[in-house]
Amino acid sequence: MDASDRPSGSRHLGLDLGGTNIKWVVAEHDGADWAVLGRDQVPTPAADGPDAVVERLATVGAEAIDRHPGVSSVGIGVPGLYDPAAGTTRFLVNIPGPWAGKPVAGPIGAALGLPAYLINDARAFGLAELRLGAARGASSMIGFTLGTGVGGVIAVDGHIHQGHDGTAGELGHQTIEPDGPWCHCGNRGCLEAFARADRIAAACGTATAEEAVERARAGDARAIDGLAQVGRYLGIGIANMITAISPDKVVIGGGIAAAADLFLGAIRAELRRRVFTTSLDAVQIVPAELGTWAGGIGAAVHGAEMARRTASAAGAPAAAR
């Protein structure tokens, strides 16, 4: 490694596992500042099964490190539930295969020779926005990712709250209507059951959520009304979380978030109708800033913070952290 390649701060790899693509990000942490040094993506070999996916993750990670030497940790964002202590997956959305109990962090860490840690992809999104994006500087925040499902994240005192098993922040699975439609999680009336992409399309009378947005922007009355209905349900969910958390910021991201202007009015109307215990004037509702790379960035940050925490707990010298 020559002088130009030598990191001025610590470097960290983030891997974001999606059903279609694996994204990687190498980020550098220098003092209070984070900077993205490189990023790319490759297709996910989902049809080949979990072993092939884990192998591809390790290969992608090695290639990223070759391009940006000096990486000291790796975080892996997964679209579903996992065991943070064991580094195994429990259930992944939109990636077929027997993922229950599948070792992921261990094999990837061993292949790369680095400490490796799992994080849910929505929590990774929130961590990225908290450290580098729309919620930077906030003490508390809630975030929603709108797409095939509705992901969520909670931050308190500047840290992502994950609970004892990494599942805290599943805001899309709060009950909005006790006898509402079935959700993929097994509950009825979840926010996700009203605001995921296929429900948006159904409410707007279109084949896809993207078409719903296009028609609404073109003035189609049914699409406009359908998005307003979705905004109302989102408003109820956001109102619940504002009442519980009283956050500085609410960050809305994900594929559908680009159309936030079409349902933000309905969200705000619902908040005014339901939030009375805290001042809405002190809560900012903002769009996410980091786009589709937020998951990879947040995974890199998570790996860095977990490695530092683990070293601190083990009593490592400051220079080694």
Side-chain angles (χ1 to χ4, degrees), residues 219-313:
D220 183 271
R222 181 173 179 184
I224 292 171
D225 181 65
L227 286 174
Q229 291 179 40
V230 171
R232 177 175 181 245
Y233 287 117
L234 284 169
I236 295 171
I238 293 171
N240 289 341
M241 299 314 303
I242 289 176
T243 300
I245 305 296
S246 190
D248 302 329
K249 290 190 177 182
V250 178
V251 180
I252 300 177
I256 309 301
D261 59 299
L262 295 172
F263 48 75
L264 193 55
I267 289 175
R268 292 190 185 281
E270 206 61 37
L271 295 184
R272 290 191 297 270
R273 190 175 294 120
R274 296 180 182 276
V275 177
F276 299 101
T277 58
T278 189
S279 172
L280 287 174
D281 292 337
V283 182
Q284 291 181 285
I285 302 177
V286 296
E289 293 181 356
L290 302 176
T292 60
W293 298 100
I297 295 170
V301 175
H302 176 67
E305 294 185 352
M306 286 298 298
R308 184 167 62 248
R309 191 177 308 161
T310 301
S312 179

Side-chain angles (χ1 to χ4, degrees), residues 147-178:
T148 304
V150 177
V153 59
I154 298 169
V156 178
D157 293 334
H159 298 282
I160 299 299
H161 177 64
Q162 299 201 69
H164 67 275
D165 59 356
T167 62
E170 287 290 343
L171 308 186
H173 296 294
Q174 58 178 300
T175 301
I176 299 299
E177 171 53 60

Side-chain angles (χ1 to χ4, degrees), residues 8-244:
S8 59
S10 57
R11 291 182 174 182
H12 308 276
L13 171 66
L15 298 171
D16 181 16
L17 173 59
T20 302
N21 292 307
I22 294 169
K23 297 182 177 71
W24 66 261
V25 170
V26 173
E28 188 168 85
H29 187 212
D30 192 358
D33 296 325
W34 282 93
V36 174
L37 301 182
R39 64 189 188 186
D40 206 345
Q41 63 183 10
V42 301
T44 302
D48 297 335
D51 288 341
V53 171
V54 173
E55 183 177 349
R56 179 67 61 85
L57 283 163
T59 300
V60 167
E63 293 171 352
I65 292 170
D66 284 343
R67 291 166 64 174
H68 301 279
V71 167
S72 60
S73 70
V74 55
I76 306 148
V78 295
L81 304 180
Y82 65 98
D83 183 328
T88 57
T89 50
R90 292 167 51 196
F91 170 77
L92 298 189
V93 180
N94 297 323
I95 304 182
W99 284 99
K102 178 66 180 175
V104 176
I108 292 173
L112 301 179
L114 296 172
Y117 307 92
L118 299 186
I119 185 172
N120 172 269
D121 56 356
R123 259 68 85 195
F125 147 81
L127 183 56
E129 295 292 342
L130 186 65
R131 297 285 181 260
L132 289 83
R136 186 173 183 177
S139 172
S140 57
M141 66 160 279
I142 58 172
F144 293 82
T145 58
L146 309 180
T148 304
V150 177
V153 59
I154 298 169
V156 178
D157 293 334
H159 298 282
I160 299 299
H161 177 64
Q162 299 201 69
H164 67 275
D165 59 356
T167 62
E170 287 290 343
L171 308 186
H173 296 294
Q174 58 178 300
T175 301
I176 299 299
E177 171 53 60
D179 299 313
W182 288 103
C183 180
H184 293 152
C185 75
N187 185 30
R188 296 190 68 154
C190 289
L191 175 59
E192 181 173 300
F194 293 99
R196 66 179 188 255
D198 63 334
R199 294 293 186 178
I200 292 173
C204 297
T206 59
T208 65
E210 291 75 16
E211 183 185 350
V213 172
E214 291 175 5
R215 289 196 184 182
R217 293 203 185 284
D220 183 271
R222 181 173 179 184
I224 292 171
D225 181 65
L227 286 174
Q229 291 179 40
V230 171
R232 177 175 181 245
Y233 287 117
L234 284 169
I236 295 171
I238 293 171
N240 289 341
M241 299 314 303
I242 289 176
T243 300

